[in-house]
Structures are given as C-alpha cells and as structure tokens.
Amino acid sequence: MDLWLGLTLIFFMAGLIQGMTGFGAGLLAMPLLAFFLDIRVAVPLCMLNGLIITAYLSLQLRKYADWQKIMPLLIGCLPGVVAGVALLKKIDQTLLKVLLGLLLIAYSGHRLLFTVRPRPVQRGWAYLAGFATGAISGAFSAGGPPTIIYTTLTGWNKDEIKATLSVFFFISGVATAIGHAVSGLTTVTVLGFMVVTGPAVFVGVALGSYYSRHFSSEGYIRLILVILLLLGILMIR
C-alpha cells in the first residue's frame, strides 16, 4: 500500500474510533504505523494528531468536564511523561514493539474477558492511573488503558467519562508533545506527515462523534478490541 494512503486511512480510522468512544486512537494507530514508519517517528506523529482529536472532543463535551475528576489524573501524569520520553530515547526499538504488543494484549484481553462494574475507588488510584498513562504516552503514544480502566470503575455516566478522558488526554497530550519537541523527537519529517494526515483525523473524529449520538457502540468496541488483540499478538511474534 502507498505510504501516504496508508497513513491517511490509519488516522481517519483512529479519529473515527475515538470520536465514537472517547478513546482508542493511539491504541489502533500505533501498531499499524509501526509497519510504515520508524517508531520514533510514529510516536510523536500519533501524539500530535491525537491533539486534534482530543481538542475537538473537549470543546464538544466541555459542559460535562469536572476539574475535581481531572486534576488528580493530570498531577500524576506529568512525572510519568518525563519518564516515558526518556524511555523512548533509550530503549531498543524491537523491545519497544514487544512491550506495546503486550500492552495491547493485556488491555483488550481484560476488556473482552471481564465485565467491569462500578465500585468505590480511592482518589489515590487517580494519581497512579495518571502516572501510568503519562509514562506509556511518552514512550508509546498509546497511554489510554490505565485511565480508561480507572474511569470505568468510578460509576460516572457516559458523558462524564468521555469528557474526563478527552480533557485529560488533551492536556496530557500537550505535555507529552512538548516533551517530544524538547527532546528532539518532533522533527521536520514528523511535522510534514502531520500536515498530510491531520485533515483525515479531523474528518474521522467529526464523523465518529456524530454517529456516536445515534448508535450503540458496544458491539463496535468489542470488534475493535478483537482487532487490537490480534495486532498485539502480531507485534510480539
């Protein structure tokens, strides 16, 4: 497949999925980008395009955003981003792909096998979830699972969860993107790819957000989880 067409399709689908569900763009995009780009190009590119997605959703869902829910995640996230960016610059690329594959298998397997029910969650877990998300985002640009799992345990409604995830991912994404730029990972090549793929991301998230108002996404989410599981297995082979 042509490089530019492949990247455009990947980011369109990533935007579509996160527009529908509030998460999942990085988890879908990163394994596929690894087949087209060096992972040190793919990670900052995915993060920059992710900012388009989360900015759009944050504005759309701003009336549901509660800063008392968001702040503990952000406080935990910032040191995690520093750790993740440092890991990305030093770790072996093959090992990085294996770790990402294991992350995908663990996350998708958990969601497919277990029904997560709301339960009392102490505030301290928000800081830990934020740190883990920051570290994984800095290293993989796919740090959603810790925060997603945390929010599904809280008993918040759909709009509260989606708004919390969107605002948190946007602000943490800005911090991660700054970390990538300062460390020299955001190159002219990365910015060139973003100029081409950014419009596809925007169209995808707009369509996904529109359709999420009219259809149940549970069956679609399960299909995506199966795909993520298969991609994770493929990446560790």
Side-chain angles (χ1 to χ4, degrees), residues 179-193:
H180 288 161
V182 170
S183 65
L185 292 168
T186 305
T187 62
V188 174
T189 299
V190 171
L191 295 176
F193 282 130

Side-chain angles (χ1 to χ4, degrees), residues 7-128:
L7 295 180
T8 299
L9 290 175
I10 289 169
F11 281 113
F12 171 78
M13 290 302 301
L16 184 70
I17 290 165
Q18 188 148 337
M20 293 181 69
T21 65
F23 64 92
L27 287 168
L28 177 69
M30 278 304 301
L32 297 175
L33 290 174
F35 293 109
F36 290 90
L37 302 171
D38 184 285
I39 199 163
R40 289 175 178 82
V41 173
V43 168
L45 174 62
C46 190
M47 182 55 64
L48 290 173
N49 276 330
L51 291 178
I52 298 174
I53 298 171
T54 53
Y56 182 94
L57 293 175
S58 295
L59 288 172
Q60 186 181 64
L61 297 163
R62 60 187 180 277
K63 67 179 180 179
Y64 299 106
D66 182 346
W67 287 101
Q68 290 187 351
K69 296 181 174 71
I70 297 167
M71 283 306 297
L73 295 168
L74 288 173
I75 292 170
C77 178
L78 294 177
V81 169
V82 175
V85 171
L87 178 67
L88 177 61
K89 294 193 71 175
K90 296 180 180 180
I91 197 169
D92 176 76
Q93 186 172 4
T94 301
L95 178 59
L96 199 58
K97 290 182 179 180
V98 170
L99 291 174
L100 179 57
L102 292 173
L103 169 66
L104 292 173
I105 292 170
Y107 173 63
S108 56
H110 178 271
R111 287 292 305 272
L112 288 166
L113 294 175
F114 300 100
T115 300
V116 179
R117 291 184 170 84
R119 66 189 69 179
V121 181
Q122 294 184 358
R123 191 178 181 88
W125 287 105
Y127 297 102
L128 181 60

Side-chain angles (χ1 to χ4, degrees), residues 138-149:
F140 300 139
S141 194
T147 302
I148 294 163
I149 293 170

Side-chain angles (χ1 to χ4, degrees), residues 133-155:
T133 291
I136 298 170
S137 293
F140 300 139
S141 194
T147 302
I148 294 163
I149 293 170
Y150 167 75
T151 56
T152 58
L153 292 170
T154 59

